[in-house]
Amino acid sequence: MKNPNLKIYLLSALLIALYSCNSNEEAITNSTHAASQFKVINVTHHDGHAFSTGKTPSTTGKYVANPGGGVMMQAFYWDVPSGGNWWNTLSTKVTAWSNAGIGSIWLPPVSKAQNGPFSMGYDPTDYFDFGNYNQNGTIETRFGSKTELVSLITKAHSENIQVYADMVLNHNSGGQLENNPYTGTQTYTNFTGVASGKFPRTSADFYKNAYGNNDEGAFGGFPDLAHVTPNVQNWLWLRSDGVGKYYKNTMKFDGWRFDYVKGFGPWVVKDWNANVGGFSVGEYWDSNVNTLEWWANNANSSVFDFACYYKMNDAFDGNNLNLLNDDMMWKRNPHKAVTFVTNHDTDEIYNKQLAYAYILTHEGYPTIFYRDYEEWLNKAKMDNLIWIHNNKATGTTSILYADNDEYIARRNGYNGNPGLVVYINNSSSWQERWVPTNWTNAQIKDFTGNSTWLPTTQGDSWVKIQSPPNSYSVWSINM
């Protein structure tokens, strides 16, 4: 179902005189815009404030929350080098990331897991072992020691970067065998001997148990935590020395990425947020925007915008940019939509640079994938898009034009910030279009540098812009 808040206006204008734009483009002020129909779709629900990253300005940090909101870095990928040096590697990156405009980093699960020095952390054993206990065949985690983790968080905060922990609350691994009265068998559900001595749990804390046979979902055959049990609730989010409050108040994490939230009810994240606080985003892997919105509202949390992800994949790789007119979470509620191009689990979009141009100019809280930024894409182009997002991408969104190869949208500005017009061109040749802007009799420029035009908007705010082949341009007032 389309967003009922979308207002569709059909604007048409008769071509009186045709002018081709040259490098000066001053002559545009005397011409009239081309006769083409624009379907202008206004997304009117966003007030233009920065998104809920929880960031506050700092006089010492290099990044300050700007009108466009924050940019998150997923600071890992699947199978990052083992050996306990990843936290140190990230510590060498955060100053440059802050200088580029990154406002937060998302870390992999930080606690000791069953696979010890080789685990990516998604099979948690001891939530309070950050690489400081000899357990599961190692003292350090795959990523490093507790001391190195604390040093990374401290360094990130000194650069005014927030740090989000990846929380795996659905399942546990690495427990000892015990006689399970609920199954009549032996199960690996005895976690009373974890090295930290904290969050002891037994078969009574996993499904099936006295509370029932199951909840919303189990994963990988691991013991499935029963969040309805008082012991689990106490240790995860209620106790002052429990997981959530220890991570926030002692380890100094600023927020949470919740793994596999399909596995338990949204009330779990809602209760965590109410008792612990901090930014939160859930991995509800579903392309149905109605389902994403339902989960975000009931969890009182942001959610990864998988609807946007799959639409971008079909649009950019399938040469059908019309699909960007379709409904997505960022259009429903941009304050609860975390947009992304790829992550450690899925990497389907081939035309990534255009996808990043899309999420970094549109509403939502955009996430950049470590390998895209550090290894695979042009870092200068990425830095440019981050700057554009932080400084120009403000206000509501109006989709001005879309066909198979071209997509043009306008951010309408907010509180004195002029906004922008983004032109994405997925064809093999330069394209030009007349578009309605927010600006009257104003010189504009392409802040990507992909076009050298310096056109001036007409008295009715229309202007002719261009975009290079298989690329994009981003226009705003030349100031």
Side-chain angles (χ1 to χ4, degrees):
M1 176 182 292
K2 294 292 185 182
N3 185 345
N5 290 326
L6 299 182
K7 299 178 181 178
I8 303 178
Y9 300 93
L10 297 179
L11 304 179
S12 62
L14 180 64
L15 176 64
I16 299 176
L18 285 172
Y19 285 79
S20 66
C21 297
N22 54 34
S23 60
N24 186 24
E25 279 299 293
E26 295 289 345
I28 288 181
T29 56
N30 297 319
S31 77
T32 55
H33 44 76
S36 60
Q37 287 189 331
F38 285 79
K39 180 183 286 185
V40 181
I41 303 177
N42 291 321
V43 184
T44 59
H45 47 263
H46 179 212
D47 62 6
H49 286 102
F51 297 104
S52 53
T53 64
K55 184 167 299 302
T56 54
S58 168
T59 56
T60 57
K62 297 177 177 61
Y63 174 75
V64 199
N66 284 311
V71 178
M72 185 194 311
M73 174 73 73
Q74 180 180 353
F76 67 99
Y77 53 93
W78 196 257
D79 284 345
V80 300
S82 58
N85 201 45
W86 191 246
W87 300 147
N88 291 334
T89 297
L90 296 183
S91 290
T92 69
K93 303 285 187 183
V94 292
T95 298
W97 290 350
S98 177
N99 289 337
I102 299 298
S104 61
I105 56 174
W106 153 27
L107 300 185
V110 297
S111 64
K112 189 69 61 63
Q114 181 179 12
N115 206 23
F118 308 106
S119 178
M120 286 295 295
Y122 290 93
D123 51 339
T125 298
D126 188 342
Y127 287 100
F128 293 89
D129 181 357
F130 304 96
N132 48 313
Y133 295 101
N134 192 347
Q135 185 172 208
N136 293 356
T138 181
I139 295 178
E140 293 191 340
T141 67
R142 182 189 188 101
F143 313 112
S145 68
K146 179 180 180 180
T147 299
E148 291 163 346
L149 173 60
V150 170
S151 178
L152 167 60
I153 296 171
T154 302
K155 179 73 177 295
H157 286 161
S158 74
E159 300 291 353
N160 208 32
I161 289 178
Q162 292 196 332
V163 185
Y164 303 152
D166 200 321
M167 304 305 302
V168 184
L169 304 184
N170 178 74
H171 52 272
N172 290 169
S173 187
Q176 301 301 306
L177 271 175
E178 63 178 344
N179 293 320
N180 189 328
Y182 305 101
T183 64
T185 64
Q186 285 196 318
T187 54
Y188 289 95
T189 49
N190 186 347
F191 292 82
T192 60
V194 292
S196 70
K198 297 182 177 182
F199 194 7
R201 50 213 186 272
T202 66
S203 59
D205 299 307
F206 297 89
Y207 288 111
K208 71 181 187 180
N209 61 8
Y211 290 87
N213 293 331
N214 59 274
D215 58 359
E216 282 77 3
F219 181 82
F222 296 125
D224 186 30
L225 271 175
H227 302 91
V228 293
T229 65
N231 185 55
V232 172
Q233 292 183 21
N234 284 336
W235 274 105
L236 283 183
W237 62 79
L238 291 177
R239 291 175 61 126
S240 61
D241 59 346
V243 175
K245 292 176 183 176
Y246 186 90
Y247 277 48
K248 187 172 188 291
N249 300 326
T250 300
M251 298 300 291
K252 303 300 182 182
F253 282 101
D254 304 288
W256 329 101
R257 179 266 185 187
F258 292 103
D259 182 65
Y260 187 58
V261 296
K262 278 189 173 182
F264 45 87
W267 67 268
V268 172
V269 172
K270 182 178 181 180
D271 280 10
W272 175 294
N273 289 339
N275 286 277
V276 179
F279 173 80
S280 74
V281 57
E283 181 215 25
Y284 200 100
W285 198 319
D286 199 306
S287 63
N288 187 322
V289 67
N290 293 315
T291 304
L292 296 176
E293 184 180 36
W294 163 83
W295 185 89
N297 289 340
N298 283 277
N300 191 27
S301 172
S302 295
V303 67
F304 283 105
D305 195 346
F306 279 94
C308 177
Y309 172 74
Y310 285 112
K311 288 300 178 184
M312 288 194 299
N313 182 46
D314 293 340
F316 294 124
D317 294 351
N319 275 23
N320 187 4
L321 300 194
N322 265 315
L323 292 174
L324 299 179
N325 277 319
D326 289 354
D327 207 357
M328 306 174 196
M329 185 61 192
W330 74 258
K331 297 182 181 182
R332 296 283 184 95
N333 188 340
H335 293 282
K336 290 186 176 179
V338 176
T339 53
F340 66 101
V341 173
T342 189
N343 63 31
H344 63 294
D345 284 326
T346 182
D347 190 4
E348 295 188 17
I349 298 175
Y350 173 76
N351 208 336
K352 290 183 177 181
Q353 196 65 55
L354 297 191
Y356 277 113
Y358 180 81
I359 68 168
L360 286 163
T361 55
H362 283 65
E363 294 173 77
Y365 187 3
T367 306
I368 294 174
F369 184 53
Y370 178 94
R371 299 196 83 172
D372 286 343
Y373 184 83
E374 291 290 342
E375 301 175 19
W376 294 339
L377 299 181
N378 185 307
K379 188 178 290 188
K381 290 182 178 180
M382 294 296 289
D383 285 346
N384 172 251
L385 285 172
I386 294 168
W387 184 92
I388 287 170
H389 171 84
N390 289 338
N391 291 278
K392 299 293 182 181
T394 61
T396 58
T397 301
S398 299
I399 300 174
L400 303 180
Y401 181 84
D403 62 20
N404 286 348
D405 296 322
E406 298 173 65
Y407 172 86
I408 307 174
R410 186 179 71 220
R411 295 296 299 277
N412 294 311
Y414 176 78
N415 199 26
N417 187 290
L420 59 81
V421 174
V422 56
Y423 191 164
I424 299 175
N425 176 15
N426 204 23
S427 77
S428 58
S429 60
W430 282 83
Q431 299 294 334
E432 303 173 3
R433 291 270 171 198
W434 283 89
V435 295
T437 71
N438 301 314
W439 320 299
T440 301
N441 300 320
Q443 188 183 73
I444 64 172
K445 73 173 184 179
D446 171 20
F447 278 82
T448 71
N450 290 331
S451 171
T452 59
W453 281 7
L454 293 172
T456 298
T457 62
Q458 298 184 148
D460 61 359
S461 81
W462 283 69
V463 71
K464 191 177 187 181
I465 57 175
Q466 65 173 187
S467 182
N470 302 305
S471 190
Y472 54 88
S473 55
V474 182
W475 303 84
S476 190
I477 293 177
N478 186 10
M479 55 185 293

